Amino acid sequence: MKNLFKYAFILILLLTACKKDKKVETSDIKTETEEKETYVQDHYRKQEVAITMRDGIKLHTTIYSPKDTSETYPILMMRTPYSSQPYGENEFMENIGPNSHLMKEGNIIVYQDVRGRWLSEGVYDNMRAYIPNKKGDKDIDESSDTYDTIEWLINNVENNNGRVGTWGISYPGFYSTYSTIDAHPALKAASPQACIGDFFFDDFHHNGAFLLSYFKVISLFGTEKNKPTDSVWYKSPDLGTEDQYQFFLDAGPLSNLNSYFQYEKPDDVSVSKSDKIDDVFWKEIINHPNYDSVWKPKGLIQHLKNIKSSVATMIVGGFYDAEDLYGPLETYKTIEKNNPDNYNTIVFGPWDHGRWAKTDVKNYVGNYFFGDSISLKFQRDVETKFFNHFLKGDGSQNSGLPEAYVFDSGKKTWRSFEAWPPRAISKQKMYLNANQELAFSKNGATKEVFVSDLKRPVPYSEDIKTVFTPRKYMTDDQRFAARRPDVLVFETNVLEKDMTLAGDILAHLNVATTGTAADWIVKIIDVHPSAIEEQEDGMQDHLKLSNYHMMVRSEVMRGRFRNSFEKPEPFVPNKKTEVTIKLQDVFHTIKAGHKLQVQVQSTWFPLIDLNPQTFVPNIYKAKESDFKNQTHTVFNDSNIEFSVLN
């Protein structure tokens, strides 16, 4: 729902500133486009209040209450850094709540600008650290702000039934997770969706590599403001081109980008463009390249230890989410591990970032079509049922929903499991053999060698465009990469029977480099048959489903962090070295008649920044002279360890 799913529309805000198994049944699902745009205004009253936190700071809060006061309603709340617009008690969203069903069934819907954002007072802290042992009212975090807000709401909002639920997608999902820590007694249900878990592994970094694709959004989080405002105060960098690949290639070292975060030009012309940086988030990134005392406290996963059993959680994510994949998977697994008696479930579908909140009938990720009404079915049959059970029903553990409800993106069907990953899996290793062979048995002691040319890095996509965060690449056809000499390809024969991947994937690479630093990227690919029925629509004109090399999962490991994210170390030139890369969970069947392929490369541009391939203390401060072409080796005793459903 576009007015709710703020994070999906960050780019719009920035541009404003710049200027059980069954097929989906669709016959009885209506889309929001069929509803009147004035539904919220016709059925809800809107109130705007400033709720005082324990330290005296006031947070702007918008409350939509049903006009029908003949019954009491639960409260559904989303806390967000992306604005609870439109502001003004006579200005209404077109749609409110997690979905249209919950809106029309009647709930008190609350939106809040978090501390330091938009019309809320205070200082914003990007991924504010949790304070476990608070010693007074000045010790505040997102948990205490949520607690204080709920306390005010249940005591001041008329016709509430004393039960509260939280939800949110992406950053708001992070706040939903936060609400479960030291939770208010009235909080009965939380659904963190695509929730950020740790900025060193979600969004801006992947295993220590900087996602250069996020460059345009740095200012959204790092531009400070000194008073509440209802207007955009940050500005997105203007690249001056639609060719993002060429822009960053021409820019050179990351230090050359510092001037884009210099909001007040220095009076002293002798001050270097890299000496003065006004963006607080960019300063954090470039001054803290390792997993240190800045990044660790911002992570929330490690604090999911004592979630009250009175709070039911349903974690939602997309298997093709380019932004937040680590977060929801690790949130579910950690709550499950540390709080085994809690009601804690997981839903993962064939979605990119937040698409489960959309109302499109046809569900695509990039070029690839997964089916009709997948998101609509989730909203009606899963999300609505979850909140109704715990906020309006008896709230028992028997909700009628499965522990794990996941979509097999190869077979294009939903499955239910009693655990995730499923208990009936086995770990199976496949070796990167000579002659581009991917097989269950090791064949010889050979090696593959390629040159990593930093003037011609491997692109992550064929597309020529400038984007905030790329999404479609998660299912993109990888034929363009397979045909490059600096991308190693290993492939099975045509499979004679289905092979279902269910869970995480571990790449155990044995590598060497002539330099002292390197990145390693592994991609898992479903190679479709040549003779296959083509998609009717949705495919880019230059592509065909015939022989489509669909990327199922991919990940990077910045080689300096192969042994420790806290203490980076160089490679010894030409020395055989083990590098292990964890690829996040998948649920995908490589069907009979298809082939399973693995690609290995060392650049992925400009999805991630370029590694100088010479070890330096801080890549963000590397000089042009540090960047060197190197020759990399992958030994054929390397293997990929798959989680295979028995």
Side-chain angles (χ1 to χ4, degrees):
M1 296 166 55
K2 64 183 180 181
N3 284 325
L4 305 184
F5 181 34
K6 301 287 185 185
Y7 195 48
F9 289 88
I10 291 173
L11 182 55
I12 294 176
L13 290 175
L14 290 171
L15 291 174
T16 300
C18 290
K19 144 176 175 220
K20 307 162 183 189
D21 305 354
K22 59 180 180 179
K23 293 184 178 179
V24 176
E25 301 294 335
T26 63
S27 59
D28 59 344
I29 299 178
K30 294 182 179 180
T31 68
E32 286 179 2
T33 56
E34 298 172 310
E35 305 300 326
K36 295 194 302 180
E37 292 182 358
T38 61
Y39 185 91
V40 177
Q41 190 169 358
D42 293 342
H43 293 84
Y44 282 85
R45 292 180 292 106
K46 182 183 178 184
Q47 180 185 10
E48 293 185 333
V49 298
I51 300 178
T52 303
M53 301 294 102
R54 63 190 65 182
D55 64 343
I57 293 296
K58 293 179 173 61
L59 303 188
H60 179 86
T61 308
T62 301
I63 305 165
Y64 291 89
S65 299
K67 290 181 177 179
D68 180 0
T69 58
S70 63
E71 59 180 300
T72 60
Y73 303 94
I75 296 170
L76 273 168
M77 179 172 67
M78 183 178 81
R79 305 184 67 242
T80 178
Y82 301 127
S83 172
S84 56
Q85 293 177 345
Y87 295 117
E89 293 191 343
N90 294 320
E91 300 294 328
F92 288 76
M93 293 183 179
E94 290 182 11
N95 299 284
I96 57 175
N99 63 58
S100 62
H101 304 285
L102 290 165
M103 175 182 71
K104 285 182 276 187
E105 290 176 5
N107 289 279
I108 298 167
I109 309 297
V110 175
Y111 297 92
Q112 184 177 74
D113 293 342
V114 298
R115 183 179 290 254
R117 300 294 284 186
W118 296 89
L119 284 179
S120 285
E121 297 176 350
V123 176
Y124 173 66
D125 188 345
N126 195 16
M127 293 278 286
R128 189 184 303 275
Y130 168 64
I131 302 174
N133 300 304
K134 299 176 179 66
K135 297 177 180 178
D137 289 345
K138 296 301 181 182
D139 284 350
I140 58 89
D141 54 24
E142 305 302 341
S143 173
S144 65
D145 281 355
T146 305
Y147 190 104
D148 294 349
T149 299
I150 293 176
E151 179 70 11
W152 190 95
L153 291 171
I154 62 173
N155 285 292
N156 291 277
V157 177
E158 296 179 353
N159 292 336
N160 81 81
N161 70 359
R163 298 185 187 184
V164 178
T166 62
W167 96 99
I169 297 172
S170 195
Y171 215 144
F174 165 80
Y175 294 116
S176 180
T177 305
Y178 226 131
S179 73
T180 68
I181 303 173
D182 300 335
H184 191 285
L187 182 66
K188 302 301 180 183
S191 183
Q193 304 179 2
C195 43
I196 306 169
D198 192 309
F199 263 172
F200 211 70
F201 306 102
D202 272 323
D203 285 311
F204 295 91
H205 302 90
H206 275 214
N207 292 326
F210 176 59
L211 265 73
L212 195 54
S213 55
Y214 273 69
F215 172 74
K216 286 175 67 68
V217 79
I218 297 292
S219 59
L220 173 65
F221 301 103
T223 306
E224 294 181 298
K225 68 179 182 69
N226 54 21
K227 61 182 179 179
T229 179
D230 61 359
S231 302
V232 174
W233 66 96
Y234 47 83
K235 184 178 181 181
S236 174
D238 181 7
L239 305 190
T241 178
E242 291 302 313
D243 191 339
Q244 193 165 259
Y245 181 101
Q246 195 63 45
F247 170 82
F248 287 115
L249 197 61
D250 292 343
L254 289 172
S255 58
N256 290 343
L257 300 176
N258 289 345
S259 60
Y260 286 91
F261 303 107
Q262 189 182 88
Y263 304 138
E264 296 181 7
K265 300 303 180 184
D267 295 329
D268 184 354
V269 294
S270 67
V271 175
S272 167
K273 64 181 179 181
S274 62
D275 290 339
K276 185 180 185 301
I277 299 170
D278 298 304
D279 192 286
V280 295
F281 188 36
W282 184 244
K283 282 194 284 190
E284 279 187 331
I285 289 173
I286 66 174
N287 291 324
H288 299 274
N290 308 327
Y291 195 46
D292 62 10
S293 59
V294 166
W295 301 115
K296 287 182 181 179
K298 292 177 182 290
L300 203 57
I301 302 299
Q302 65 267 32
H303 298 299
L304 302 178
K305 297 176 181 178
N306 297 301
I307 307 302
K308 294 178 181 178
S309 60
S310 58
V311 181
T313 49
M314 181 179 73
I315 315 303
V316 181
F319 280 122
Y320 298 98
D321 190 335
E323 298 171 44
D324 297 300
L325 191 57
Y326 168 92
L329 288 168
E330 291 301 314
T331 297
Y332 167 77
K333 292 176 182 179
T334 305
I335 293 177
E336 195 70 9
K337 176 183 177 181
N338 295 334
N339 311 272
D341 296 329
N342 284 23
Y343 181 97
N344 177 48
T345 61
I346 186 170
V347 180
F348 253 74
W351 297 306
D352 58 16
H353 195 62
R355 192 163 296 273
W356 51 90
K358 303 283 188 176
T359 57
D360 301 328
V361 172
K362 292 190 174 296
N363 282 242
Y364 294 90
V365 176
N367 290 295
Y368 206 82
F369 177 64
F370 288 104
D372 287 330
S373 299
I374 296 172
S375 300
L376 295 170
K377 178 179 181 292
F378 159 75
Q379 294 165 26
R380 182 193 65 185
D381 297 343
V382 181
E383 186 176 46
T384 299
K385 189 173 183 178
F386 168 76
F387 280 118
N388 282 346
H389 178 75
F390 290 102
L391 301 182
K392 296 180 178 180
D394 63 21
S396 68
Q397 294 252 351
N398 185 18
S399 67
L401 295 169
E403 170 75 17
Y405 193 49
V406 290
F407 191 90
D408 184 330
S409 55
K411 288 186 174 180
K412 301 183 181 180
T413 185
W414 287 99
R415 292 284 303 273
S416 297
F417 295 101
E418 295 179 352
W420 184 262
R423 295 190 179 100
I425 61 171
S426 59
K427 298 292 186 178
Q428 300 183 19
K429 292 183 178 180
M430 301 189 76
Y431 290 88
L432 310 185
N433 288 332
N435 300 316
Q436 299 188 333
E437 180 188 60
L438 180 65
F440 287 108
S441 58
K442 192 186 327 183
N443 183 12
T446 52
K447 60 186 178 182
E448 311 293 333
V449 179
F450 66 95
V451 174
S452 179
D453 185 348
L454 297 183
K455 294 296 184 183
R456 298 186 63 254
V458 180
Y460 77 90
S461 170
E462 291 181 286
D463 298 342
I464 305 298
K465 61 182 181 182
T466 300
V467 296
F468 150 51
T469 54
R471 296 188 177 191
K472 64 178 286 294
Y473 89 94
M474 293 288 284
T475 62
D476 260 355
D477 188 344
Q478 298 299 307
R479 275 176 282 198
F480 77 95
R483 293 163 182 170
R484 286 182 59 113
D486 49 359
V487 177
L488 303 181
V489 177
F490 305 91
E491 190 175 83
T492 65
N493 293 324
V494 174
L495 297 187
E496 296 181 358
K497 60 180 181 179
D498 291 354
M499 180 180 180
T500 300
L501 311 180
D504 64 11
I505 299 168
L506 288 176
H508 302 283
L509 300 184
N510 292 311
V511 301
T513 175
T514 54
T516 52
D519 291 337
W520 303 96
I521 295 104
V522 172
K523 299 185 290 190
I524 309 301
I525 294 160
D526 180 349
V527 180
H528 289 46
S530 297
I532 190 172
E533 183 179 353
E534 292 293 335
Q535 281 185 193
E536 293 183 1
D537 50 30
M539 190 76 69
Q540 288 174 282
D541 291 341
H542 69 285
L543 296 175
K544 299 293 181 183
L545 198 58
S546 173
N547 198 36
Y548 192 91
H549 285 36
M550 175 192 177
M551 192 165 74
V552 175
R553 183 61 74 241
S554 55
E555 192 55 278
V556 57
M557 171 58 74
R558 180 134 283 174
R560 65 198 285 123
F561 296 122
R562 64 193 180 279
N563 295 321
S564 169
F565 289 110
E566 295 89 351
K567 298 178 180 180
E569 56 188 280
F571 286 92
V572 176
N574 301 310
K575 181 181 178 180
K576 186 176 182 179
T577 306
E578 182 178 353
V579 175
T580 299
I581 309 172
K582 179 182 177 181
L583 288 78
Q584 301 298 333
D585 295 22
V586 301
F587 187 42
H588 185 90
T589 297
I590 311 294
K591 295 192 293 187
H594 292 226
K595 292 184 288 186
L596 175 59
Q597 183 183 101
V598 172
Q599 293 183 7
V600 180
Q601 58 199 63
S602 63
T603 52
W604 209 15
F605 194 73
L607 183 67
I608 62 170
D609 64 311
L610 287 179
N611 191 318
Q613 303 188 142
T614 301
F615 187 85
V616 294
N618 185 341
I619 289 179
Y620 297 98
K621 299 180 180 182
K623 304 184 295 292
E624 186 79 43
S625 58
D626 295 322
F627 289 76
K628 305 287 186 182
N629 293 346
Q630 303 292 352
T631 300
H632 298 328
T633 299
V634 175
F635 295 90
N636 292 115
D637 56 355
S638 301
N639 69 79
I640 311 295
E641 184 178 330
F642 293 101
S643 302
V644 180
L645 189 64
N646 298 330

